Amino acid sequence: MYNRQELRRNYILPYIPHTTSATTKNMKLFRKTKSTKTANGGPKFPIVGDSSIMSKKKHGTSNTRVQADLRWGCDRKTADRICNFNRHYAEHAGYFRKDTDFIEYAKSLPKGETIKFYDSNTGEPLFVAPLGRSMDEFLKESKAHGWPSFRDEEVVWENMRCLKNGESVSLAGTHLGHNLPDRKGNRYCINLVSVAGKPTNKA
């Protein structure tokens, strides 16, 4: 678990671009996970993925660029930098609240309706929220921490993994954020620009 100083040092500092070259090597990402289970046979969260998920590919850590028209007015340049050429840093705290129309969108939904969040690169579903709580509770927690904050049951584990260091990533190699557990359990602190994609036909 990060303390306040570690969070500021490791997660909020300005982005430093990577300059390493990309590679075209394809990875069979679904095999690169640790299969762990609880005593009753259910999955243990977070599901831990191998670091090779984030190996260099055609476009940074992904094989594709960020989608051209992201949801909620998210900036594509910022998204591409954070999703594909970054392992530690984030959009600035409060970005989802101050620089996008996400809050307005969320509050406009009928009571009980959820939001699906899609990979900004691939359009694969990554999160569905709120589940097990109200929209007001989801937004309150997210505002308090500065980033959209998801719980275990709101993760689409078919497409998302956490690395040993807490980094949250999609199986396609998109950097999403970090798992920063608190007294309630795992809390996935996620960049909105990383999950502002539009669904693919199969999603």
Side-chain angles (χ1 to χ4, degrees):
M1 182 186 301
Y2 290 115
N3 60 36
R4 189 176 296 274
Q5 279 189 326
E6 289 172 329
L7 177 61
R8 182 175 297 276
R9 182 172 65 250
N10 296 328
Y11 196 57
I12 304 176
L13 291 176
Y15 167 77
I16 301 174
H18 290 191
T19 57
T20 53
S21 60
T23 180
T24 59
K25 183 178 181 181
N26 292 318
M27 311 298 290
K28 294 182 179 179
L29 298 175
F30 280 97
R31 296 182 180 177
K32 299 180 183 303
T33 62
K34 278 191 174 181
S35 179
T36 54
K37 295 185 177 182
T38 59
N40 63 8
K44 180 181 179 181
F45 299 121
I47 299 178
V48 178
D50 190 84
S51 61
S52 59
I53 291 173
M54 298 300 282
S55 296
K56 292 182 292 183
K57 303 182 185 70
K58 292 180 180 179
H59 188 70
T61 56
S62 176
N63 278 319
T64 183
R65 295 177 181 272
V66 162
Q67 294 178 1
D69 186 20
L70 296 175
R71 299 164 77 193
W72 307 304
C74 288
D75 180 68
R76 189 189 188 198
K77 183 178 179 181
T78 301
D80 197 49
R81 184 184 70 205
I82 289 174
C83 291
N84 298 317
F85 299 94
N86 162 61
R87 301 295 304 281
H88 305 288
Y89 304 112
E91 65 198 20
H92 66 77
Y95 175 88
F96 80 102
R97 180 170 55 87
K98 301 174 185 177
D99 297 86
T100 75
D101 60 10
F102 174 75
I103 297 294
E104 182 180 356
Y105 169 83
K107 288 184 175 180
S108 73
L109 296 177
K111 185 176 181 180
E113 190 165 329
T114 59
I115 303 173
K116 291 183 179 179
F117 297 81
Y118 299 92
D119 192 319
S120 291
N121 284 321
T122 67
E124 294 286 347
L126 295 172
F127 301 93
V128 180
L131 292 177
R133 53 180 171 169
S134 68
M135 182 67 74
D136 285 344
E137 290 170 329
F138 167 63
L139 294 177
K140 182 179 179 180
E141 180 173 66
S142 297
K143 289 177 182 178
H145 294 289
W147 289 269
S149 295
F150 302 92
R151 297 294 174 172
D152 290 333
E153 60 270 28
E154 295 170 328
V155 181
V156 181
W157 289 106
E158 179 183 353
N159 300 319
M160 201 279 264
R161 295 290 184 270
C162 278
L163 305 187
K164 289 182 178 179
N165 65 356
E167 183 183 5
S168 299
V169 303
S170 80
L171 282 172
T174 305
H175 172 82
L176 304 175
H178 288 80
N179 178 24
L180 303 174
D182 59 19
R183 60 184 177 81
K184 295 179 181 178
N186 294 313
R187 181 177 63 82
Y188 306 96
C189 191
I190 303 299
N191 296 290
L192 186 66
V193 296
S194 298
V195 293
K198 294 181 177 178
T200 58
N201 290 334
K202 63 179 181 178

